[in-house]
Amino acid sequence: MVGHQRLPIFGSVQERCCEPKLCWLLPGLLLILCYLSTGPGLQIAPSAQQALQMSGAIAIGAMAAVSAAMNPALNINIPSQPLATHCFQLSNMFNPNSRLPPGWELDIQNNVIEECNKHGGAVHIYVDKNSAEGNVYIKCPSIPAAMAAVNVLHGRLFNGQLITAAYVPLPTYHNLFPEAATATQLLLPSPRR
């Protein structure tokens, strides 16, 4: 309790904060709650890591150091997770050096859209035909949809190649693809030839 008002700890913190002057305290409170919720041998839950990173209390990539500081007895290298966004990049989706049939980019686009539609959809996609890494860029309608798609696609084999997925910061994505900033309509695969 602060000033006889109970601070919210669940839901959208910014929306539920009764006293705007106190909202700056909430990232620190999230850290304290995470510390109190961990014990010997326990790690901060991924959802708590995400909340801390999104609140700005923890810099992207600094979660391993925080986990180690909260539980020094573990002394383990805990891999940090990147901050999830609406947007991600898939690599190794094609080999630009191989002979590709006409319309190959549409086939890849349709395959990616179909997979994303199983997990919340996609509102923008770009197959970078000139990419040496075989990159495809996707924007989903929400962060949970992007996370679900990334979790399914990362490490999967596609045309004999191991796909890697990496989040792209939203401002970076919108700089690369300005039309994506206003994209809200879920994409559907093109009719097959």
Side-chain angles (χ1 to χ4, degrees):
M1 296 263 245
V2 175
H4 302 293
Q5 291 183 11
R6 188 176 295 261
L7 290 175
I9 58 172
F10 299 105
S12 174
V13 172
Q14 295 298 332
E15 291 172 7
R16 299 186 66 192
C17 186
C18 299
E19 180 61 49
K21 295 177 196 169
L22 298 177
C23 284
W24 67 272
L25 291 170
L26 293 174
L29 290 173
L30 283 172
L31 266 176
I32 292 168
L33 288 172
C34 284
Y35 178 75
L36 293 174
S37 69
T38 59
L42 298 178
Q43 297 177 14
I44 296 174
S47 59
Q49 290 180 17
Q50 185 78 17
L52 285 168
Q53 289 175 340
M54 290 179 76
S55 73
I58 301 295
I60 298 170
M63 207 63 230
V66 171
S67 296
M70 288 180 163
N71 202 348
L74 281 179
N75 198 15
I76 303 173
N77 286 334
I78 302 169
S80 60
Q81 296 180 357
L83 181 63
T85 70
H86 291 78
C87 311
F88 60 96
Q89 169 189 304
L90 297 176
S91 297
N92 295 324
M93 291 296 294
F94 57 91
N95 182 350
N97 298 324
S98 67
R99 188 176 177 108
L100 298 167
W104 63 269
E105 67 277 2
L106 188 58
D107 289 339
I108 288 177
Q109 179 176 313
N110 285 336
N111 286 332
V112 172
I113 291 171
E114 286 173 3
E115 194 58 46
C116 287
N117 284 345
K118 296 176 187 175
H119 307 286
V123 295
H124 181 265
I125 186 167
Y126 179 77
V127 178
D128 187 356
K129 297 184 279 189
N130 299 317
S131 165
E133 296 82 27
N135 293 337
V136 177
Y137 298 88
I138 302 100
K139 179 181 179 185
C140 294
S142 67
I143 292 174
M147 290 174 67
V150 165
N151 287 338
V152 169
L153 293 169
H154 183 72
R156 181 187 250 184
L157 286 176
F158 183 77
N159 288 337
Q161 296 186 328
L162 187 65
I163 298 172
T164 58
Y167 292 107
V168 177
L170 195 58
T172 303
Y173 195 92
H174 289 165
N175 283 338
L176 290 170
F177 312 107
E179 69 279 8
T182 57
T184 57
Q185 180 71 35
L186 290 179
L187 300 176
L188 296 173
S190 302
R192 302 282 180 180
R193 292 181 247 143

